[in-house]
Amino acid sequence: MKTILITGIGGLTPGSIAKTIRRNHPDYKLIGIDVNKKAIGFFMKGLLDDYSVCPRCTDIEYFPFIEKLVAEKRIDYAFVQPESEIVEWGDYFEKYGKFPCPVFMGCKLLSESLRDKAIMAELLKDTDFIPKTIKVTQENPRYEDVEDEIGFPCWIRATEGTGGLGSLKLENLSSYKSWLFINNQIPEFTVSEFLTGRHLANEMLYYNNEYVKGAALECVEYVMANIAPSRVTGNTAFARFLDEDRINKFCDDCIKYLCKKLNVQAHGILSFDLKEDRNGNMKVTEVNIRHMAYTGVMAQIGFDLIEDTIRIMEDGNAENVARDQYHHYGKPYIFFRDVDMEPVVLESERMFVEC
């Protein structure tokens, strides 16, 4: 029996990870932590064996809390999910040459560079991987650059954050100025050319710079999209699983380019968000340094990066993880998800086409 720590347990993705582990390893002990004392994961029956409210990861008391928890609860390893925590754990490793307990994540430099969309855009500038993108701030909105370099319509989003934070399709300069005013609490944004094609995504596993496996999907609709001005909330309500090798090839090429530029190794779980332009060319909009919310659904239909992560942390290597760089699902699976409901997986969307 193992004892596993899952951080940010109030979030959708950590909850999905916990459910998958509980299903695959009912004898394992799961401990969840979150900064929010009302984190829903604390109160979901059967999800956790124990839980604690923790300090924020930037608080001086955070790592003493983690170290004490690891020692007292005899934690074997951890799933660290919030990206802010992943960066702080990377910083801890650089300071002490070890993690508080075994984890599976990349180095601090790669994590920081991908977490901040403006840094990522600068690293990928003048390549075919991203749309034309510039960084703007509340103090320096760069009105002329937005109008002349990017043009309207364009897409704006916060440089950090999830759930489509600060995102909107801007039709003109007036709407841009209004959006900055409405979101005056967000200090930085990226503004990029507006892409009209499909929203694609994937999850990929790297071990010591080896691309081990990956699988793709199309995010078609979003949970509670009607409440967000951008119609993008970050949580997929309807998705198609795709057997399109070009998606993973494109993402792997992008990761190799970034790692070469940063002189680091790709390691851990990396998840892409992409949009196609009007000609079907893929462009990177975001690279997440963690599992995504659909990771549990992917596990249900045979692509289980949660179990692979467990294997790596328990074995200390990736020798027992099957190499599967271009995963094919075998059936045209789709899934639905809504608020307060478990995801529903169907083997195809044929019934909707026939109606």
Side-chain angles (χ1 to χ4, degrees):
M1 186 178 75
K2 302 291 184 179
T3 300
I4 303 175
L5 171 66
I6 304 175
T7 74
I9 196 63
L12 185 61
T13 305
S16 180
I17 290 170
K19 290 176 186 176
T20 302
I21 298 173
R22 184 65 82 198
R23 183 170 60 247
N24 293 341
H25 302 278
D27 58 327
Y28 281 20
K29 186 175 182 180
L30 302 184
I31 298 175
I33 61 171
D34 201 288
V35 298
N36 181 7
K37 63 183 178 181
K38 298 177 183 176
I40 192 168
F42 291 163
F43 308 102
M44 295 176 69
K45 186 176 180 180
L47 185 69
L48 302 172
D49 296 287
D50 199 0
Y51 67 86
S52 297
V53 178
C54 68
R56 292 193 176 277
C57 62
T58 53
D59 193 301
I60 194 171
E61 295 301 320
Y62 175 79
F63 280 111
F65 169 88
I66 293 292
E67 290 165 349
K68 182 179 179 183
L69 188 69
V70 168
E72 291 183 349
K73 303 296 183 180
R74 297 183 180 179
I75 290 169
D76 292 288
Y77 47 84
F79 280 80
V80 180
Q81 271 298 287
E83 296 197 333
S84 56
E85 286 189 78
I86 291 174
V87 171
E88 293 300 326
W89 279 58
D91 184 63
Y92 183 101
F93 183 87
E94 288 195 356
K95 289 178 179 176
Y96 303 108
K98 63 178 183 177
F99 290 110
C101 67
V103 292
F104 181 49
M105 64 173 62
C107 68
K108 178 186 176 184
L109 178 57
L110 182 61
S111 297
E112 281 185 320
S113 301
L114 296 179
R115 180 189 174 211
D116 189 313
K117 300 171 188 69
I119 296 175
M120 184 193 74
E122 184 62 29
L123 288 168
L124 295 175
K125 186 178 179 180
D126 299 325
T127 72
D128 292 331
F129 292 118
I130 61 167
K132 289 185 295 183
T133 303
I134 62 173
K135 184 177 81 170
V136 301
T137 66
Q138 294 286 354
E139 291 73 25
N140 183 21
R142 302 177 62 182
Y143 296 129
E144 291 184 1
D145 291 338
V146 169
E147 195 162 26
D148 297 337
E149 291 185 31
I150 307 300
F152 293 100
C154 59
W155 186 258
I156 188 171
R157 67 180 302 174
T159 57
E160 295 184 17
T162 59
L165 180 65
S167 297
L168 188 71
K169 177 185 177 183
L170 300 172
E171 299 289 354
N172 49 50
L173 191 60
S174 177
S175 62
Y176 174 41
K177 292 179 179 178
S178 298
W179 193 243
L180 289 179
F181 177 76
I182 291 169
N183 293 280
N184 59 72
Q185 78 284 2
I186 300 177
E188 290 184 349
F189 297 85
T190 56
V191 179
S192 58
E193 61 180 301
F194 183 71
L195 303 171
T196 59
R198 296 181 300 172
H199 178 190
L200 306 174
N202 75 351
E203 284 204 338
M204 308 172 79
L205 187 152
Y206 286 83
Y207 190 85
N208 289 345
N209 226 33
E210 178 193 357
Y211 173 36
V212 177
K213 62 195 308 181
L217 66 153
E218 177 189 359
C219 303
V220 186
E221 298 173 7
Y222 294 90
V223 174
M224 299 179 70
N226 61 311
I227 69 169
S230 65
R231 298 297 184 264
V232 176
T233 60
N235 290 327
T236 308
F238 169 45
R240 301 183 180 101
F241 294 97
L242 303 176
D243 295 342
E244 296 183 23
D245 296 352
R246 73 184 190 101
I247 298 172
N248 283 5
K249 175 64 167 61
F250 177 85
C251 295
D252 182 46
D253 288 345
C254 182
I255 288 297
K256 284 181 167 59
Y257 178 90
L258 285 165
C259 288
K260 183 177 181 180
K261 197 159 188 178
L262 292 169
N263 193 28
V264 299
Q265 289 193 335
H267 190 73
I269 303 297
L270 297 172
S271 307
F272 274 79
D273 279 318
L274 312 124
K275 281 278 285 182
E276 292 178 324
D277 65 17
R278 67 187 66 182
N279 298 315
N281 299 309
M282 290 176 287
K283 304 291 181 180
V284 177
T285 59
E286 187 171 358
V287 184
N288 296 280
I289 52 178
R290 57 180 175 84
H291 292 267
M292 295 302 288
Y294 39 73
T295 190
V297 185
M298 296 175 87
Q300 290 181 42
I301 56 173
F303 186 77
D304 193 348
L305 292 191
I306 300 169
E307 184 64 21
D308 291 329
T309 300
I310 289 174
R311 286 274 65 76
I312 287 170
M313 291 192 289
E314 291 187 358
D315 295 346
N317 56 63
E319 292 178 6
N320 291 317
V321 177
R323 269 52 183 171
D324 188 12
Q325 295 181 349
Y326 303 101
H327 182 78
H328 287 196
Y329 299 97
K331 296 180 180 179
Y333 289 107
I334 61 171
F335 83 81
F336 295 98
R337 184 174 62 204
D338 207 341
V339 178
D340 295 334
M341 295 180 69
E342 287 294 304
V344 174
V345 177
L346 301 179
E347 291 188 355
S348 80
E349 57 182 307
R350 186 177 63 251
M351 65 181 66
F352 309 119
V353 177
E354 293 174 347
C355 290

